[in-house]
Amino acid sequence: MIRFYFFLLFLFLQFMAYSQSINGKITSIKNEPLSGAVVHLLNTNSGTATDEQGNYELTTVMSGSYDMEVSAIGFVTVERKVEVTTGGATFDFQLAEVATQLDAVIVTAEKTEEDLQKIPVSISAISSAKIRQYRMWNSQDITAVVPNLYSSNPGDNRNVTSIRGITSTSYDPSVATYVDGVNQFSLDTYIAPLVDIERIEVLRGPQGTLYGRNAMGGVINIITKQPTNQTSGFGEINFGSYGQQRYSAGVRTPLIKDKLFLGIAGMYNQTNGFYINEFDNSHFDKKHGVVGNYYLRYLAGSRWSFTLNVKHNENRNQGTFPLAYDALANPFKVNQNSVATMVDNLFNASFSANYSGNNFNFSSQSTYQSNWRYYKQPLDGDFSPIDGVTIINNYGNKWNNVKVLTQEFKFTSPASVTNLKWTGGLYLYHQNNPVKQATHFGADAALVAPGAIPNSSSIGTGTGQTTGYAFFGQATYSLTEKLDVIGGMRYDFEHKTQSALGQFQIFPGAPFTTLPDTSAKANFNAISPKVGLAYHLNESSNLYFNYARGFKTGGFTQFSPDPSQPPLYSYQPEYSNNLEVGLKQTWFENRIRFNAAAFYIRTTNVQVPTLVLPQAVTITRNAGELESKGFEAELSATPLPHLQIDYNFGYTNAKYTTLMLSQNGNEVNYKGNHQLFTPDVTSMLAVQYNWNIVPSEKIQFIARLEWRYLGTQYFDLANTIRQSPYIVLNTRIGVTAKSWELFFWGRNLNDARYISYAYDFGAAHLGNPKNYGFTVRKNF
């Protein structure tokens, strides 16, 4: 019996160890109470909003050291380390007005919530307010806003992104994109539009330890706003030149206070396009799309939370590839005789469970993704008015419909731990990619595909499946108050299978000749280590050094010109070794923030595209080694009240030390050539000033100017398609009043003409011309 009472006493003491409460008051600098301010203990489920008097209370909190974040609309976000002892604690905060100081930036870049300035990695974070200030509508708009980052597409919204000279020249990306923790698995399976976004985090450099495959260049984390106890939302209307229209709205609200929360956001957009098709004098790239994002979140006490999230994105693009061979000489004009409407349907669902415990935190995320992409009509494959090459892939939803399943289990150290912080887990995935595509060579095909047989056709079908898993772990140990040591390791294993069946028709009406069925399979694996040091000079200054290894998976070319020889067209993984040293610094009570880094990257087994004629297909080969080195700097400042200045600079020197390509039947070494999609310089300056017109009514006049400079870059490995440096000017001018916003915006005001994307055979897509419009927004 005595043992039983001791057991009850032990349980009681254990409960008392974490059942403390935290309370306090949130006010402005003028001691005015702030209602609706959000208080959150990082890496826990503990969070609340202040009442009308600015008071808050958090219950059932374990004793220990925590990082507390406090934010309120119109005020600077702050983060502070707090100590909770037996008996509870009281913490009061005073918040300064926006644009008088810089916000504390909390990110989840290393899969736990941390202050950006304390993480020994190169990270750029773009907040919800910044996204609106930059008028970012999709992920391509972050070009040059993040140093050494360039993003573009050939007009079909499949962005190819380069960070520090590491970019995708094969089917698999080199920069991983995550949306709410879900890896967008290939060039097709991601959701690019930015709607109701909390923040965007961009990690520069390889992130293989925590993110694994295809994160050699870095990671783009897009985090949408989640529902809380406070009802909030917005409605926004945009009208612009070239028929641009964008309507978006969202609401987040508790269904059951402290228990069940709902979030809904949606967007409809359309445009007449920037191009005219001279073949029939019509708008070429007319498009419209619908995006939806739906959250249901349940808090099962202070320990467990469950979240169901569903996203969808339906796009229709009439004139998928606005490409021309004389793009700069005849800007925004194409001449194509077979205009196809692209149908692009994306669906993304995830279920997450999160546990916050005394000894560890645990999370599980299960996801399903699908991307069905096809052309309703035959597509002009030669981008010209001749009867050359036509592509057909409309064979029903059984084909060209990529489906992906993923599962991640993750354990992290509890929020109260101080000396040793760790993360570890298991990642599983399966991808199914059935492809069917026909190519028809018309009467004039030989003009664009030498050796092609006029009026012949071929059909290729293939089914690719990828299954893999990964174990990962990373830890940071504080040797002293100033020195941390970092170590991590990840093991990736991937099994790929590919079957291919080809059919060939020598002339219309003739029977198709079936080529032998070919199947191939391969296993790929990689170990991705990371080691580093972080030195804290003081509370505002941090130095770090990192070594990391990057890995991009191998595979099989989707359409081999000769299905009887699959080994010739398989390619192996790409690897990189990376060194980085950096500094993170704040001055003058967080009014100036300066981050800088220098890097060196050496990549082996580089995967490069090779155009094969007369079949007019592009295959992937391991053909070289790449060396990339450079540096970058980011400066944010509020030197005067209501004056905001942001300046970013990046320099990248990315060249091939070996590059063997086939030219006219001969192997040519393009040693010394520059990497694709990599401006040697990116530079961005943004200046914004807020005038308080009627302070009592919170009416402000806001003026903003952005200057972006992109240096020399190339779009083919032979470096024959070159874009000279250019400047783009953007502006945003308007009025805000409490919950209303009215802005005029202008993009590319200097009407710069520049190549944004080009294929190695010469067809190019231009960056958007001068365009302008206005935004009306209501927040509640």
Side-chain angles (χ1 to χ4, degrees):
M1 192 67 178
I2 295 177
R3 290 182 180 178
F4 177 72
Y5 284 121
F6 271 113
F7 177 70
L8 291 181
L9 178 62
F10 172 76
L11 291 180
F12 176 75
L13 292 175
Q14 286 292 99
F15 177 77
M16 290 298 295
Y18 65 80
S19 61
Q20 320 307 323
S21 65
I22 301 175
N23 57 57
K25 188 169 186 176
I26 312 300
T27 61
S28 69
I29 295 296
K30 300 176 182 178
N31 287 320
E32 299 168 333
L34 297 181
S35 172
V38 177
V39 180
H40 172 55
L41 291 183
L42 301 187
N43 300 301
T44 74
N45 290 322
S46 296
T48 189
T50 56
D51 60 20
E52 292 294 330
Q53 287 74 44
N55 297 314
Y56 73 91
E57 183 177 19
L58 298 173
T59 59
T60 62
V61 178
M62 187 180 78
S63 300
S65 177
Y66 294 89
D67 292 311
M68 180 181 285
E69 178 190 23
V70 180
S71 61
I73 296 176
F75 293 86
V76 172
T77 298
V78 298
E79 181 263 343
R80 183 195 302 173
K81 187 169 289 294
V82 298
E83 292 286 340
V84 180
T85 58
T86 302
T90 298
F91 303 106
D92 297 332
F93 291 81
Q94 283 192 325
L95 304 186
E97 290 186 12
V98 164
T100 59
Q101 290 181 1
L102 297 173
D103 285 310
V105 182
I106 306 301
V107 297
T108 54
E110 295 205 314
K111 301 204 173 188
T112 57
E113 294 177 317
E114 297 177 86
D115 188 332
L116 179 145
Q117 291 300 105
K118 298 176 182 178
I119 302 176
V121 176
S122 293
I123 306 172
S124 297
I126 308 170
S127 66
S128 176
K130 291 285 188 182
I131 289 170
R132 296 206 303 275
Q133 290 170 7
Y134 283 113
R135 208 232 64 174
M136 291 182 176
W137 284 1
N138 59 59
S139 56
Q140 183 179 329
D141 291 337
I142 65 178
T143 292
V145 174
V146 175
N148 285 325
L149 184 147
Y150 180 81
S151 185
S152 186
N153 68 80
D156 65 345
N157 290 330
R158 289 186 299 173
N159 285 358
V160 172
T161 301
S162 167
I163 297 179
R164 294 179 171 178
I166 307 301
T167 187
S168 177
T169 54
S170 64
Y171 186 75
D172 286 293
S174 295
V175 176
T177 300
Y178 280 72
V179 180
D180 291 324
V182 181
N183 185 5
Q184 310 304 298
F185 230 70
S186 70
L187 288 175
D188 292 340
T189 51
Y190 67 87
I191 300 177
L194 302 178
V195 182
D196 203 24
I197 304 299
E198 179 68 29
R199 67 184 179 276
I200 300 172
E201 305 169 1
V202 180
L203 293 80
R204 298 186 296 278
Q207 307 300 323
T209 304
L210 293 179
Y211 291 93
R213 66 197 294 278
N214 304 340
M216 287 182 60
V219 173
I220 299 173
N221 271 329
I222 300 173
I223 298 99
T224 62
K225 291 188 175 181
Q226 297 192 26
T228 64
N229 259 330
Q230 187 176 18
T231 297
S232 61
F234 75 99
E236 182 176 294
I237 298 174
N238 285 270
F239 285 98
S241 53
Y242 295 94
Q244 296 179 87
Q245 299 178 46
R246 196 176 196 258
Y247 310 91
S248 57
V251 62
R252 298 171 297 279
T253 187
L255 298 178
I256 303 175
K257 188 177 180 181
D258 297 324
K259 285 292 182 183
L260 187 63
F261 312 92
L262 175 69
I264 299 174
M267 185 267 289
Y268 171 83
N269 69 292
Q270 70 177 51
T271 176
N272 291 334
F274 299 106
Y275 284 77
I276 296 295
N277 189 1
E278 294 182 322
F279 187 81
D280 58 5
N281 199 33
S282 63
H283 290 287
F284 182 76
D285 54 338
K286 292 182 64 174
K287 49 192 169 186
H288 65 273
V290 176
V291 175
N293 186 17
Y294 315 96
Y295 270 106
L296 192 62
R297 185 167 182 255
Y298 176 66
L299 285 180
S302 62
R303 300 288 184 172
W304 284 95
S305 67
F306 302 91
T307 303
L308 177 65
N309 180 219
V310 174
K311 296 180 174 68
H312 63 88
N313 183 1
E314 289 84 31
N315 291 302
R316 304 295 182 266
N317 188 339
Q318 187 176 349
T320 309
F321 293 97
L323 299 160
Y325 294 95
D326 58 348
L328 289 174
N330 193 22
F332 303 104
K333 303 288 180 62
V334 298
N335 195 339
Q336 299 184 21
N337 62 340
S338 182
V339 179
T341 298
M342 183 192 73
V343 176
D344 199 4
N345 296 323
L346 299 101
F347 179 82
N348 189 326
S350 67
F351 177 76
S352 302
N354 294 279
Y355 169 78
S356 177
N358 297 344
N359 300 312
F360 64 87
N361 293 339
F362 167 76
S363 68
S364 168
Q365 186 176 57
S366 309
T367 77
Y368 168 78
Q369 304 170 58
S370 68
N371 178 203
W372 182 23
R373 181 187 179 93
Y374 66 93
Y375 311 112
K376 279 188 175 182
Q377 304 86 19
L379 175 73
D380 192 335
D382 53 75
F383 313 116
S384 73
I386 68 171
D387 182 16
V389 179
T390 304
I391 305 297
I392 301 168
N393 71 351
N394 186 2
Y395 294 101
N397 64 3
K398 178 183 176 181
W399 298 102
N400 307 306
N401 192 352
V402 181
K403 297 180 180 179
V404 181
L405 295 171
T406 71
Q407 172 65 54
E408 183 180 68
F409 300 106
K410 182 183 66 179
F411 294 86
T412 63
S413 54
S416 57
V417 165
T418 54
N419 288 337
L420 177 63
K421 296 183 179 180
W422 51 267
T423 299
L426 169 67
Y427 185 70
L428 308 162
Y429 57 92
H430 177 77
Q431 180 183 34
N432 184 54
N433 186 15
V435 177
K436 186 173 184 178
Q437 181 169 300
T439 303
H440 175 72
F441 298 99
D444 302 321
L447 296 176
V448 292
I453 301 175
N455 298 314
S456 64
S457 299
S458 65
I459 299 177
T461 60
T463 300
Q465 293 195 347
T466 303
T467 302
Y469 62 84
F471 298 98
F472 61 91
Q474 182 170 308
T476 300
Y477 181 71
S478 299
L479 293 174
T480 68
E481 288 186 358
K482 290 184 176 293
L483 182 63
D484 297 338
V485 61
I486 305 133
M489 185 78 73
R490 185 184 185 102
Y491 175 77
D492 280 276
F493 175 84
E494 186 170 271
H495 176 71
K496 283 193 173 186
T497 62
Q498 177 94 17
S499 64
L501 180 66
Q503 293 181 308
F504 183 73
Q505 185 185 50
I506 193 67
F507 58 85
F512 277 91
T513 300
T514 301
L515 300 173
D517 183 13
T518 60
S519 298
K521 60 182 179 180
N523 295 328
F524 305 107
N525 60 76
I527 295 177
S528 304
K530 177 179 179 177
V531 293
L533 293 172
Y535 186 74
H536 313 290
L537 294 171
N538 50 55
E539 186 66 24
S540 302
S541 183
N542 297 283
L543 293 167
Y544 66 89
F545 166 80
N546 288 321
Y547 162 79
R549 190 171 191 241
F551 159 67
K552 184 163 77 170
T553 185
F556 308 101
T557 293
Q558 295 250 322
F559 292 104
S560 298
D562 184 355
S564 66
Q565 302 181 57
L568 182 62
Y569 299 100
S570 62
Y571 54 94
Q572 298 302 308
E574 191 175 303
Y575 301 96
S576 67
N577 289 289
N578 308 260
L579 299 173
E580 176 182 328
V581 60
L583 165 70
K584 296 189 174 184
Q585 177 76 55
T586 58
W587 290 290
F588 305 111
E589 297 181 334
N590 208 32
R591 287 182 170 84
I592 298 177
R593 181 166 55 231
F594 175 77
N595 296 338
F599 61 89
Y600 175 83
I601 306 170
R602 189 166 188 86
T603 307
T604 59
N605 252 12
V606 177
Q607 300 166 4
V608 299
T610 301
L611 182 66
V612 178
L613 299 174
Q615 292 84 359
V617 296
T618 299
I619 65 171
T620 300
R621 297 174 54 197
N622 299 103
E625 295 184 359
L626 178 75
E627 184 180 77
S628 180
K629 51 193 174 184
F631 60 89
E632 55 218 9
E634 297 176 280
L635 174 69
S636 295
T638 55
L640 298 172
H642 309 296
L643 175 63
Q644 302 176 40
I645 299 175
D646 291 289
Y647 178 69
N648 300 326
F649 178 86
Y651 169 76
T652 300
N653 182 7
K655 293 182 179 181
Y656 285 93
T657 56
T658 302
L659 181 60
M660 303 301 298
L661 295 179
S662 177
Q663 186 178 50
N664 299 322
N666 299 315
E667 286 284 309
V668 179
N669 189 352
Y670 285 96
K671 177 181 178 181
N673 279 22
H674 295 268
Q675 173 66 302
L676 309 180
F677 307 116
T678 303
D680 59 353
V681 172
T682 65
S683 185
M684 190 283 302
L685 173 66
V687 180
Q688 177 172 306
Y689 192 81
N690 304 0
W691 283 272
N692 285 320
I693 302 174
V694 186
S696 61
E697 297 297 323
K698 297 183 178 180
I699 299 177
Q700 289 188 327
F701 176 77
I702 299 174
R704 179 183 182 85
L705 181 65
E706 298 168 15
W707 172 89
R708 302 190 193 189
Y709 173 91
L710 285 97
T712 302
Q713 66 173 313
Y714 299 87
F715 296 96
D716 67 323
L717 293 170
N719 286 182
T720 59
I721 305 175
R722 176 182 182 271
Q723 173 59 55
S724 300
Y726 60 91
I727 292 171
V728 173
L729 297 177
N730 302 324
T731 192
R732 186 172 179 261
I733 301 172
V735 177
T736 65
K738 290 185 177 178
S739 60
W740 285 95
E741 299 177 11
L742 174 62
F743 281 95
F744 165 84
W745 48 262
R747 314 286 292 176
N748 192 9
L749 294 177
N750 53 320
D751 208 20
R753 294 285 191 265
Y754 59 93
I755 296 175
S756 172
Y757 187 101
Y759 285 105
D760 54 2
F761 52 83
H765 176 67
L766 298 183
N768 294 343
K770 177 172 64 177
N771 62 100
Y772 46 85
F774 67 88
T775 300
V776 179
R777 181 183 176 97
K778 167 68 175 176
N779 300 302
F780 61 89

